[in-house]
Amino acid sequence: MGVTHILFFVIAAAAPLTAIVGAAPLAYSIGNGAGAPMGYVIAGLIYLLFSVGFTAMSRHVGSAGAFYAFVSKGLGSRWALAAGAMTLLTYYAIQIAIYAFFGIVIAGLLEPLGLPLPWWAAALICVILVDLCGRRQIEFSGWILGICMLCEIVVLMVLNLLILAQGGPEGISATSFLPSVGFSAGIGVSLLFAVASFLGFEATVIFAEEAKRPRRTIPMATYLAVICITLFYAFSAWCMVIAYGPSNIRDAATADSSDLFVNTAHALGGSLLSTTMSALLVTSLFACILSFHNTISRYLFAGGREAVLPKALAQVHPHFGSTHTANRVQSLSVALIIGLCALFRIDPYATVYSFMAALSALGVLSVQILVGISILRYFARTPHDTTLWQRVIAPVAALIGLVIVLLLALSNLPMLTGATNVAVILLLPAAVIGTGLMGWGYAVYLSRRDPARYDALGTSFLSIAGASHD
């Protein structure tokens, strides 16, 4: 794959339309109101800093296991297995959340047409389609993701330009980015929604083994992805502030949080634009699911290759060259979870979506912090040809930012989940910690019962610096 394909995977995982339409109104209403666009800028800066050490280390650690590989090289196998277990939990959680949301959207669209379809049935149909796509060459999924992503961007840009053309009730101004507005009360909540938009950030390195000239491709794709996501989300969020005015956006979002963007599109562009936006929301969700599906499959593939999971998961399709066994296992496991949710009549939005989304936020922040520490530890031992900025200053600054966001996430769990029972809320951080301890415990078990297998952990990683196609 080249830069374009990898870029599609990262931005598609961020699901531009889903992230903006679903999260921005909440940032306006319960976050810092007109200052919500600043949250995307701050999150983008944190991840740009993170990218400095991340891409520098990627030149020496290339693996489909990505975060697992980084932590293995920086902190050792025990921490690596802990991080790998938490990462799998994180991406399974977000994928289940999006499947539930997809099922809800499809069921809602079909109901007025007299075609009642349970959310779980729509989700299972999606599982089959995603499995078929994941079985093909990675480029095939890349083009699907790219087409969906471009359509999402086009429809949002049309709305943005219409808003700027009419100017809004208070005119066009940069009020949202003033320190007094951007850092006002509620910035923590807005920052959480913004950081969630970068979920799937590691996809650039996950596909390193399938990339053309990875030493150049991976850093370029990483920086471009972060910059594009930051600029597009901040711009779109700012345009909606202009549409209603900085002093009115909070009230407008509170009164119409679920349909703020669609109704604004209808008011400015008519039914064609609003209907198109609703339809593209479906493709946005599908693209997001497909991107995370490919990510999880490569984690399972890496686990099989490392022999910490069944070795069959490391099989590659003889024709398509895809991780087809891991792909199928991933599909079947997701179908099983959806089936259990349907069997026990678990609410798809209030429980499945909200809790899984919150769990994924805690998980990914925890793992990224471990990766940040690993980058510092790795370059402290082997600085290679890096600068002080690459190996110390930028990684430390990013690590501080990630820790602050994690603390904000923990303090806002009741808001993220909608739950009031303390015991239920504490299940989420307990699940992340418990999963990490399971990975750590398995590593300890291997070190004592199968030392040779334990010592071999991490040896299957390809060094991009020495790859023949570099």
Side-chain angles (χ1 to χ4, degrees):
M1 296 192 295
V3 172
T4 303
H5 280 125
I6 298 174
L7 192 61
F8 283 165
F9 274 101
V10 178
I11 299 180
L17 189 59
T18 300
I20 288 294
V21 173
L26 293 173
Y28 299 136
S29 61
I30 61 178
N32 59 341
M38 182 65 87
Y40 293 103
V41 175
I42 297 172
L45 290 175
I46 291 174
Y47 281 113
L48 276 176
L49 290 169
F50 184 89
S51 298
V52 174
F54 190 63
T55 56
M57 190 170 173
S58 73
R59 297 174 181 177
H60 311 283
V61 184
S63 169
F67 284 165
Y68 170 82
F70 277 66
V71 177
S72 175
K73 293 296 184 182
L75 298 177
S77 297
R78 295 185 182 185
W79 281 108
L81 285 182
M86 288 191 292
T87 303
L88 273 178
L89 173 70
T90 294
Y91 284 105
Y92 261 102
I94 191 60
Q95 193 180 34
I96 295 299
I98 301 169
Y99 267 119
F101 194 27
F102 180 89
I104 293 168
V105 171
I106 293 295
L109 291 174
L110 294 179
E111 188 175 1
L113 302 177
L115 299 171
L117 184 71
W119 73 270
W120 54 265
L124 289 176
I125 293 172
C126 186
V127 170
I128 295 173
L129 295 175
V130 168
D131 180 80
L132 292 175
C133 291
R135 185 172 177 270
R136 300 288 299 274
Q137 293 101 326
I138 194 66
E139 292 91 343
F140 180 78
S141 293
W143 282 114
I144 290 179
L145 294 174
I147 292 170
C148 291
M149 180 195 70
L150 291 175
C151 289
E152 296 173 46
I153 290 174
V154 167
V155 73
L156 277 172
M157 283 303 298
V158 169
L159 175 58
N160 292 339
L161 294 176
L162 287 173
I163 290 172
L164 293 179
Q166 61 92 24
E170 299 177 33
I172 299 175
S173 70
T175 302
S176 295
F177 302 105
L178 294 175
S180 59
V181 177
F183 291 95
S184 59
I187 178 61
V189 174
S190 294
L191 187 57
L192 287 178
F193 288 119
V195 166
S197 302
F198 290 84
L199 197 61
F201 173 78
E202 61 165 316
T204 54
V205 174
I206 285 178
F207 300 108
E209 297 175 31
E210 299 161 277
K212 302 172 184 176
R213 301 181 65 190
R215 275 182 66 90
R216 179 182 177 184
T217 299
I218 299 307
M220 186 178 297
T222 303
Y223 285 118
L224 282 176
V226 174
I227 292 170
C228 288
I229 291 172
T230 301
L231 294 178
F232 183 70
Y233 283 4
F235 178 67
S236 298
W238 172 70
C239 285
M240 189 55 61
V241 172
I242 298 300
Y244 290 90
S247 61
N248 299 317
I249 184 62
R250 185 186 297 275
D251 292 337
T254 301
D256 190 23
S257 60
S258 61
D259 295 314
L260 181 67
F261 278 79
V262 173
N263 288 340
T264 304
H266 188 273
L268 298 178
S271 59
L272 177 61
L273 183 61
S274 61
T275 301
T276 301
M277 183 173 285
S278 296
L280 286 175
L281 179 59
V282 175
T283 63
S284 174
L285 290 167
F286 180 82
C288 187
I289 291 171
L290 179 58
S291 182
F292 281 116
H293 175 89
N294 281 296
T295 298
I296 295 171
S297 294
R298 274 146 189 79
Y299 264 101
L300 295 176
F301 169 83
R305 191 171 58 180
E306 282 283 278
V308 295
L309 293 175
K311 292 184 178 180
L313 292 171
Q315 292 179 354
V316 176
H317 195 281
H319 177 65
F320 295 125
S322 62
T323 57
H324 71 114
T325 302
N327 170 77
R328 184 56 50 85
V329 169
Q330 212 272 106
S331 298
L332 291 174
S333 59
V334 166
L336 176 62
I337 295 172
I338 293 173
L340 290 174
C341 290
L343 180 65
F344 291 101
R345 300 181 181 277
I346 300 175
D347 188 287
Y349 186 81
T351 303
V352 180
Y353 178 79
S354 62
F355 273 77
M356 291 298 101
L359 178 60
S360 66
L362 294 180
V364 76
L365 285 168
S366 300
V367 175
Q368 286 172 348
I369 288 171
L370 279 178
V371 172
I373 297 172
S374 298
I375 292 171
L376 290 170
R377 179 80 179 278
Y378 177 79
F379 284 127
R381 296 196 306 261
T382 52
H384 295 288
D385 57 350
T386 56
T387 64
L388 184 65
W389 166 255
Q390 290 175 310
R391 65 178 181 269
V392 178
I393 300 175
V396 167
L399 193 57
I400 292 172
L402 290 171
V403 169
I404 291 173
V405 175
L406 177 59
L407 293 176
L408 288 171
L410 290 170
S411 64
N412 285 281
L413 277 181
M415 180 275 296
L416 290 173
T417 62
T420 56
N421 189 306
V422 176
V424 173
I425 295 173
L426 289 178
L427 284 176
L428 297 181
V432 175
I433 295 172
T435 301
L437 289 175
M438 287 176 61
W440 178 282
Y442 183 53
V444 172
Y445 170 81
L446 286 179
S447 67
R448 295 176 178 176
R449 296 298 182 91
D450 196 347
R453 186 177 170 192
Y454 177 80
D455 292 338
L457 293 178
T459 58
S460 65
F461 299 150
L462 295 180
S463 174
I464 298 179
S468 60
H469 56 273
D470 183 13

